[in-house]
């Protein structure tokens, strides 16, 4: 496993906040496992921990919203990564709106999209949600800002254990 550790520790992915909503229930979490997974059609995959409340809500959601943050938006990362929705209403402390069939979009995110879930793939302790983007937006005042990366968030204590 030491070889894989050497590989994985060199990665510094963009961090995103994924939100899910279904039957009046909202959830969201900070995610470091995500990427584009198809060019045509454009598809994006986000991996949610099975231990996370967001996963429990996302299991039955038809759409998820994915939000990229800038380094200056660390407060949102701390809220969605350092708190658990099992104890905290994160959405009471964030500006948000409903978009595209009830998906929850964080208004302060630098850029976002809402995607229809086209596939769920069990990857072990995480499940991949493959999304086909439907609607998207960007805050023009964040253009050119440096993205929030994993290395910017290592001091955030998770809201719950990973397993």
């Amino acid at each position: 496993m030491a070889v894989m550790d050497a590989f994985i520790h060199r990665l510094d992915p963009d961090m995103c906040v994924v939100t899910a909503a279904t039957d009046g229930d909202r959830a969201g979490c900070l995610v470091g496992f995500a990427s584009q997974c198809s060019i045509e059609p454009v598809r994006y995959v986000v991996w949610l921990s099975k231990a996370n409340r967001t996963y429990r809500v996302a299991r039955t959601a038809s759409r998820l919203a994915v939000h990229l943050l800038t380094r200056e938006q660390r407060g949102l990362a701390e809220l969605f990564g350092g708190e658990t929705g099992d104890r905290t209403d994160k959405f009471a402390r964030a500006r948000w709106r409903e978009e595209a069939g009830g998906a929850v979009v964080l208004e302060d995110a630098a850029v976002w999209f809402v995607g229809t879930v086209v596939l769920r793939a069990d990857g072990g302790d995480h499940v991949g949600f493959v999304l086909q983007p439907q609607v998207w937006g960007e805050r023009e005042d964040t253009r050119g800002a440096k993205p929030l990366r994993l290395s910017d968030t290592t001091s955030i204590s998770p809201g719950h254990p990973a397993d």
Side-chain angles (χ1 to χ4, degrees), residues 4-27:
M4 279 309 297
D5 287 345
F7 182 89
I8 290 170
H9 287 179
R10 291 177 187 236
L11 300 176
D12 196 15
D14 292 346
M15 300 297 287
C16 59
V17 172
V18 175
T19 57
T22 186
D23 298 326
D25 198 9
R26 295 182 304 269

Side-chain angles (χ1 to χ4, degrees), residues 89-151:
D89 180 0
K90 300 174 191 182
F91 298 94
R93 296 171 39 197
R95 295 179 341 121
W96 63 276
R97 68 177 183 278
E98 285 189 12
E99 188 77 53
V104 177
V105 170
L106 300 175
E107 293 185 356
D108 293 322
V111 63
W112 59 271
F113 78 89
V114 173
T116 302
V117 178
V118 296
L119 176 72
R120 291 173 177 87
D122 191 321
D125 60 3
H126 284 64
V127 172
F129 291 77
V130 177
L131 306 173
Q132 183 165 331
Q134 300 295 306
V135 296
W136 46 86
E138 176 182 26
R139 283 188 42 204
E140 289 188 24
D141 65 330
T142 63
R143 282 192 182 157
K146 294 189 183 228
L148 185 75
R149 296 197 180 275
L150 175 62
S151 60

Side-chain angles (χ1 to χ4, degrees), residues 22-153:
T22 186
D23 298 326
D25 198 9
R26 295 182 304 269
C29 63
L30 186 64
V31 171
F33 302 159
S35 77
Q36 185 174 345
C37 60
S38 175
I39 296 171
E40 186 58 44
V42 173
R43 298 243 168 105
Y44 196 84
V45 63
V46 294
W47 294 88
L48 302 178
S49 168
K50 292 177 182 177
N52 195 309
R53 182 172 182 280
T54 303
Y55 165 73
R56 294 192 304 270
V57 175
R59 283 186 305 195
T60 58
S62 61
R63 294 174 182 84
L64 301 179
V66 180
H67 311 79
L68 291 179
L69 306 177
T70 68
R71 288 183 180 167
E72 290 75 30
Q73 296 172 315
R74 183 180 162 88
L76 273 177
E78 290 173 347
L79 175 61
F80 282 91
E83 300 286 338
T84 174
D86 292 323
R87 293 188 298 272
T88 302
D89 180 0
K90 300 174 191 182
F91 298 94
R93 296 171 39 197
R95 295 179 341 121
W96 63 276
R97 68 177 183 278
E98 285 189 12
E99 188 77 53
V104 177
V105 170
L106 300 175
E107 293 185 356
D108 293 322
V111 63
W112 59 271
F113 78 89
V114 173
T116 302
V117 178
V118 296
L119 176 72
R120 291 173 177 87
D122 191 321
D125 60 3
H126 284 64
V127 172
F129 291 77
V130 177
L131 306 173
Q132 183 165 331
Q134 300 295 306
V135 296
W136 46 86
E138 176 182 26
R139 283 188 42 204
E140 289 188 24
D141 65 330
T142 63
R143 282 192 182 157
K146 294 189 183 228
L148 185 75
R149 296 197 180 275
L150 175 62
S151 60
D152 300 316
T153 64

